[in-house]
């Protein structure tokens, strides 16, 4: 049963026999009184509108939230599976939908409230009218100064400043495909993405505040350009926004003829008007790079019409955005959450969206709640890592502030039921509904969540499939694992939906291989029913249809909600000349969910001194600080199979103090004990033993590295 049943069916008792073997089923929490009465989705009739027999037409309800220049002729075109096309024949402009139409109806209304990290700096309120002016002027720079137009790709490497959505929307205005790289990624990581997307313009910023310091960010642009060039892509212009007008926060020189300050260019385009270019629904809106099993990042290509419809619809029903709400999502715009649920979803609906520059606990653990009180935030959205961290550093801070959330979201990682309860009781003060939203870079918007006004919450479980989304869990052989069986499997979505990526930029074969090959029933079929979407997550479905996500099954380590590919980490370590072999493994962490540990072996004759630091540094340079390993273990030899494959599950077990399992079939079983003594005695001495792991966590470790 993956159907969207009404609330009463969702509450049917789960019998003892059906209880998941690994977990106690948590009790339901009912939507808060009063919420349903004001909810955008408050009438259970909505389940009927999105019932499976209404597919795909049900999604026109989302598309109708937008203003179209031309209406579509076909809702879903399945003629070239699995490259689904939504709202074919339709034309629209994303920037017009997110800015112009709201500026026309109420120019004074606040679109964005920007909160700089330093508390002494004033908040900036940007009205829809003002946003329209800024987007137009920057679009003029892109078109007239850079010569960019529809279909060109542009890489952005920007921090959490309002200039970032201005840049994205200016690109969208012209049909330019933006590819924003998370600001915390290194110059090299940015360069790889510039090369992959074929961008000849990079848009960046001189610096930004993080944990109280003004960080030099432009330095990464120079590194990025070197790396891109090494990979064959030349960049001819770098546009540099300035954090403080007229000042320059970077140590690196501006390259004459290549680097330009945006504020100076804007001065030449004051008052410019740029007509929004009417784009076909299936024209790409942006690329968002993410990690997978192999080292090369995947540029998830999202469409204009389908994507924007899907984020508008889910923002309306799941985030419950009303025009007068003040909505704050603390994610970074450099990730998909920020694209969909800070920028495109909220602005498409004409809401007020808050953008915060810095870290949540700067200067202290009360900051988020002070911001909420000052701005009257009533919808809040963050990740389990932030919740765990704020709970640790300030468990009673929220009650000191007078704010009231009607609904709160968590996203990006599984949330532990006890952390969920702190979020509910302390942060939400028992008044707010929680949506635990499960989805991915590739999916554009939510796949699994409760509808906050209509479906009860269950801590640790995201809920059933979202409206119009029909999940199924398959075992390795493609047999359905029935809900309530207590068995885990690979979660898939049976049907396409408008937010699904169109392809992986430049790698259509990989798109099919990674997401569809495994459970495709017939390669020739143009019936979507033969093409379930493979999400790459392990999951378990209870008898009530609620889904518990266990984590990645594809050698991706989810560190604080950031997806890091094992292969990317290992290739980064291997850029150190002295390293012969490298293996990355996840270690359970109470705050960040998972952290990375590296195992490396050295080339013959190399002295181990200083190698740990060199490996850490290499990872920082190739990927970014977020990927820095907790430990680098230099081992004489890696445990290997007879065919020479490194047994990552064995070293992962050592790092997590779990049972290494059967190692008798290894080519070199004797190394396991040596590694265990070396690693575990050091960890014990440093006080790094993890807590007792859950069954699910043990299973994750025991299976780790199997995806290869
Ligand atoms: C994980 C983030 C449990 C999952 C939007 C998924 C989650 C990956 C949840 C995608 C959740 C995301 N509960 N796990 N509510 N949301 N995940 O691409 O493993 O950065 O596949 O997109 O995060 O991460 P991504």
């Amino acid at each position: 049963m993956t159907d969207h049943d009404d609330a009463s069916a969702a509450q049917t008792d789960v019998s003892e026999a059906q209880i998941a073997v690994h977990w106690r089923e948590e009790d339901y929490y009912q939507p808060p009184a009063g919420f349903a009465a004001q909810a955008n989705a408050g009438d259970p009739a909505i389940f009927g509108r999105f019932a499976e027999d209404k597919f795909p037409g049900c999604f026109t309800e989302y598309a109708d939230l937008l203003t179209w220049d031309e209406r579509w002729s076909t809702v879903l075109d399945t003629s070239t599976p699995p490259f689904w096309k939504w709202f074919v024949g339709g034309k629209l402009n994303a920037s017009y939908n997110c800015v112009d139409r709201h500026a026309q109806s109420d120019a004074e209304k606040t679109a964005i409230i920007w909160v700089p990290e330093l508390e002494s700096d004033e908040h900036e309120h940007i009205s829809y009218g003002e946003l329209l002016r800024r987007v137009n002027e920057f679009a003029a720079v892109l078109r007239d100064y850079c010569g960019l137009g529809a279909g060109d790709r542009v890489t952005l490497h920007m921090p959490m400043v309002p200039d970032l959505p201005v840049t994205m929307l200016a690109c969208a205005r012209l049909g330019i495909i933006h590819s924003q790289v998370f600001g915390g990624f290194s110059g090299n990581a940015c360069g790889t993405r510039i090369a992959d997307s074929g961008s000849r313009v990079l848009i960046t910023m001189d610096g930004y505040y993080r944990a109280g310091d003004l960080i030099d960010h432009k330095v990464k642009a120079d590194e990025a350009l070197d790396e891109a060039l090494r990979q064959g892509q030349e960049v001819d212009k770098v546009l540099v926004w300035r954090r403080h007008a007229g000042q320059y926060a970077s140590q690196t020189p501006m390259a004459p003829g290549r680097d330009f300050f945006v504020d100076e260019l804007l001065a030449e385009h004051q008052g410019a008007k740029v007509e929004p270019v009417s784009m076909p629904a299936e024209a790409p809106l942006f690329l968002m790079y993410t990690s997978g099993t192999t080292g090369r990042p995947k540029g998830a290509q999202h469409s204009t019409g389908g994507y924007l419809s899907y984020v508008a619809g889910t923002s309306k029903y799941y985030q419950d955005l009303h025009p007068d709400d003040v909505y704050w999502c603390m994610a970074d715009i450099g990730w998909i959450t920020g694209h969909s649920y800070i920028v495109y979803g909220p602005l498409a609906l004409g809401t007020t969206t808050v953008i915060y520059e810095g870290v949540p606990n700067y200067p202290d653990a009360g900051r988020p709640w002070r911001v909420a009180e000052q701005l009257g935030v009533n919808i809040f959205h963050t990740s389990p890592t932030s919740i765990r961290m704020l709970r640790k550093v300030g468990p009673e801070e929220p009650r000191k502030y007078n704010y009231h959330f009607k609904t709160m979201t968590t996203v990006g990682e599984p949330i532990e039921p006890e952390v969920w309860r702190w979020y509910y009781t302390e942060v939400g003060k028992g008044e707010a509904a929680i949506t635990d939203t499960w989805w991915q870079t590739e999916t554009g918007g939510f796949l699994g969540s409760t509808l906050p006004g209509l479906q009860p919450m269950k801590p640790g479980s995201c809920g059933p499939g979202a409206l119009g989304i029909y999940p199924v869990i398959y075992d390795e052989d493609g047999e359905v694992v029935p809900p309530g069986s207590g068995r885990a499997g690979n979660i898939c979505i049976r049907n396409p939906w408008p937010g699904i990526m169109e392809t992986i930029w430049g790698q259509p074969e990989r798109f099919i291989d990674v997401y569809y090959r495994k459970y495709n029933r017939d390669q020739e079929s143009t019936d979507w029913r033969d093409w379930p979407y493979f999400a790459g997550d392990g999951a378990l479905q209870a008898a009530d249809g609620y889904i518990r996500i266990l984590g990645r099954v594809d050698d991706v380590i989810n560190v604080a909600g950031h997806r890091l590919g094992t292969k990317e980490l290992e290739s980064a370590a291997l850029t150190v000349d002295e390293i012969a072999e490298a293996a990355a493994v996840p270690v359970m962490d109470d705050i960040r969910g998972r952290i990375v540990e590296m195992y490396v072996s050295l080339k013959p004759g190399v002295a181990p001194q200083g190698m740990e630091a060199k490996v850490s540094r290499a990872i920082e340079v190739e990927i970014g600080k977020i990927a820095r390993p907790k430990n680098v273990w230099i081992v004489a030899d890696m445990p290997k199979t007879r065919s020479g494959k490194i047994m990552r599950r064995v070293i992962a077990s050592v790092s997590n103090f779990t049972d290494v399992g059967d190692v008798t079939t290894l080519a070199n079983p004797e190394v396991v004990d040596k590694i265990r003594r070396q690693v575990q005695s050091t960890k014990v001495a440093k006080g790094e033993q993890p807590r007792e792991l859950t069954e699910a966590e043990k299973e994750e470790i025991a299976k780790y590295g199997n995806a290869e």
Side-chain angles (χ1 to χ4, degrees), residues 290 335-337 410-415 436-442 462 535-537 549 551-552 558 561-563:
T290 189
W335 305 113
I336 192 69
T337 302
T410 158
V411 63
E413 315 150 65
I415 184 166
D436 177 350
T437 57
W438 166 69
W439 59 296
Q440 312 175 303
T441 303
E442 294 88 335
C462 66
D537 276 326
I549 299 295
R552 305 289 311 179
N558 188 336
H562 309 322
R563 278 165 66 172

